[in-house]
Amino acid sequence: MAALPRRDFLALGGAAAAAALMPGKAFANVATGTKLHGLSAFGDLKYKPDFPHFDYVKVDAPKGGIFNFSPPNWGYNQDTQTFNTLNSFANKGDAPPRMEMCFDALMVRALDEPDAVYGQIADGVTLSDDRNGFTFSLRPEARFHDGTPLTAQDAAFTFKLYKEKGHPELSLSLTHMVDAVAVDDRTLRLTFSGKQSARTVLNVVEFPILSKAFYTANPFDSSQLNPPLGSGAYKVGRFSAGAWIEYDRVADYWGRDLAFNRGQNNFDRIRIEFYQNRNAGFEAFKKGEITYREEFVSRVWATAYDFPAMTAGKVAKHEFPAEKRPSMQATAVNQRREQFRDPRVRRALALCFDFEWTRRNFFYGSYERSQSCFEKSDFRAEGTPSPQELALLEPLRSQLPAEVFGEAVTQPASDGSGRDRKLLGQAAKLLSAAGWKRSGDFVVNDKGGRLSAEFMVDDDTFVQVYSPWVANMKAIGIDATIRLVDSAQYQSRQASFDFDLLSAAFSFSATPTRDDLEVFFHSSTAGVSGSRNLPGISDPAVDTLINAVGAAKDRENLTVAMRALDRVLRARCDWIPSWFLANHRVAYWDMFGFPEQKPDFGFPVETLWWFDKGKAAKIGKG
């Protein structure tokens, strides 16, 4: 597409931006009043109403065996180092990963499509004429683990409970839910105000459905170790609080023969053990106490997989391609702390991070420098803004950093020395321009207060990785330190935003919704305990661009809005991008089978792999 002359562009820009920000109707290309077996944000569904199973599974995978692993990802209030509650959906306590496997949802996501969901508890959904109402038809065979029916009353109770008391990852998507009504035992109606994102429902239909009876008898918002009554393919088995937990496959699971479940949930038991540091977990893997591990420490991957079981061929190493989803690994700079509110200070901190030196000395050359909040996706901004991006950005020009309108902001490459004088000199100048003057070993403000910056970490590995960064901060006068805390304290302080600097890694949906982004970047979540808005971003211009994402009517406009948002976030430097890896580095005891083709939009090994008796026998694990 040829670029418009600037005069013509400005004439069109206001109208284009206004059109982009008009509230979008949910699934505008989908008929209302017709029962649908699935939903997709844009375009057609891959699977027809009578599909037998998802294409990415081995439909006749054998059942049996134990899968003992260290979870590589988790959500809600979950923790991989300890747990003190079995309620994963409240904003209190530390829950074990994979509690969600014990619950079913109205609909389930297909992992070979970017945004499609298909009926699970619900066998279909009907949209109202105004597309603000969604009526779900629930399967009559749906049951909780105690044999009692799962009804629309349970679902309505769940959504109201999540809106009032749920973890922010649940409650925020329900902000504009007006009501959840059980029309009868098998009919649930969710109604929204019209202010919701057009694609909000794609998040909501995946929320675990709870038992009304259980959470009437047991307080939802208290930390408790009473296993909740679920309806999913697994239920809580034996556990020792803070040490280990087992999930047992439900033999008479109501959905075991339905299309959404075939070829999945193959292990009889899934066990998770909790370790206070990565090295202890690795030692357990070497002994075979853990049988699957995704490796995140480059030094270990490059040098430590030479233990006896590995050399004997009992353990396999494999790299699987990463998902086609935007991801972010970065350091949050907490602007609730006054010293970090000036963007020049945040940029100075970023210039102190010598990625090239870190990559060579700690990562064995395996990681790439991250530049975007949406790495590994088409949403990463490149070059100068396109005319379509400018249509969104120009009306906000007075509120945005000037850098937004040039080349997409990138973190400069260092000379790899570990102490790049040029970059540190630039950082020192930024601090001086922000009012921090050198006084002895430190820079101070006009009141004589030092500029302090403390990294909060929960693993020794990060102490090693961030120590050179801290040394560079000290070199330009920042009173920089690292604080290593235990997992429970880390979780609590993160949820309450009690930190200066904190690094984290996240993955977004392949088709991000406004709700997804609000949790991370919107003003409304800056003060919400447990939200992922760790830097405390509160910027009306960012809010406007998030609204543009929510209003996008097709993937092209979604991509434009996401790239515009990426430009602004990168220029603001709320999150300092760190690094990313193109593949999953996986090691496992060679006793499993897995589908030949990994799905593009998910990698739930615990549900897609299976126990191979023949392989297990060969390595003495039968």
Side-chain angles (χ1 to χ4, degrees), residues 425-456:
Q426 293 175 13
K429 289 180 181 178
L430 285 169
L431 293 183
S432 178
W436 296 93
K437 306 301 181 184
R438 193 80 185 213
S439 177
D441 292 334
F442 300 100
V443 292
V444 297
N445 58 21
D446 55 5
K447 298 179 182 178
R450 292 180 184 177
L451 174 56
S452 62
E454 178 185 87
F455 271 101
M456 186 174 74

Side-chain angles (χ1 to χ4, degrees), residues 56-136:
Y56 48 82
V57 305
K58 178 178 171 59
V59 69
D60 58 349
K63 306 293 184 183
I66 299 174
F67 188 65
N68 190 339
F69 79 129
S70 299
N73 51 34
W74 55 94
Y76 309 119
N77 66 347
Q78 296 171 1
D79 195 328
T80 58
Q81 295 183 339
T82 189
F83 71 95
N84 50 41
T85 179
L86 294 178
N87 184 359
S88 189
F89 312 122
N91 195 23
K92 290 185 178 180
D94 302 272
R98 302 304 184 264
M99 279 299 301
E100 62 275 12
M101 294 192 308
C102 301
F103 302 86
D104 282 328
L106 294 175
M107 307 183 85
V108 63
R109 191 169 295 271
L111 301 181
D112 54 353
E113 296 178 87
D115 52 40
V117 291
Y118 296 88
Q120 191 175 47
I121 291 172
D123 63 8
V125 57
T126 304
L127 278 63
S128 64
D129 288 340
D130 64 3
R131 291 181 168 80
N132 291 323
F134 302 85
T135 301
F136 297 89

Side-chain angles (χ1 to χ4, degrees), residues 262-338:
R262 290 185 186 132
Q264 302 185 67
N265 305 311
N266 303 311
F267 296 105
D268 280 348
R269 182 171 299 135
I270 294 173
R271 181 180 171 102
I272 298 171
E273 303 197 29
F274 295 78
Y275 297 95
Q276 291 300 310
N277 60 66
R278 294 172 188 262
N279 186 61
F282 183 55
E283 290 301 316
F285 175 76
K286 288 161 63 174
K287 297 174 185 177
E289 296 170 5
I290 292 175
T291 52
Y292 175 96
R293 173 184 174 88
E294 185 164 352
E295 186 58 70
F296 295 102
V297 180
S298 299
R299 174 187 54 79
V300 174
W301 185 253
T303 67
Y305 281 82
D306 57 357
F307 49 91
M310 186 83 200
T311 56
K314 295 182 179 182
V315 173
K317 288 175 69 177
H318 192 86
E319 293 198 19
F320 294 89
E323 289 69 66
K324 297 179 180 178
R325 297 167 57 179
S327 64
M328 174 176 71
Q329 185 156 345
T331 296
V333 186
N334 188 359
Q335 291 155 55
R336 301 170 188 86
R337 307 282 206 251
E338 185 176 354

Side-chain angles (χ1 to χ4, degrees), residues 436-481:
W436 296 93
K437 306 301 181 184
R438 193 80 185 213
S439 177
D441 292 334
F442 300 100
V443 292
V444 297
N445 58 21
D446 55 5
K447 298 179 182 178
R450 292 180 184 177
L451 174 56
S452 62
E454 178 185 87
F455 271 101
M456 186 174 74
V457 302
D458 62 349
D459 193 283
D460 288 328
T461 299
F462 297 114
V463 175
Q464 297 175 22
V465 171
Y466 294 135
S467 288
W469 192 350
V470 165
N472 279 342
M473 291 185 195
K474 289 180 176 179
I476 62 169
I478 299 173
D479 186 8
T481 55

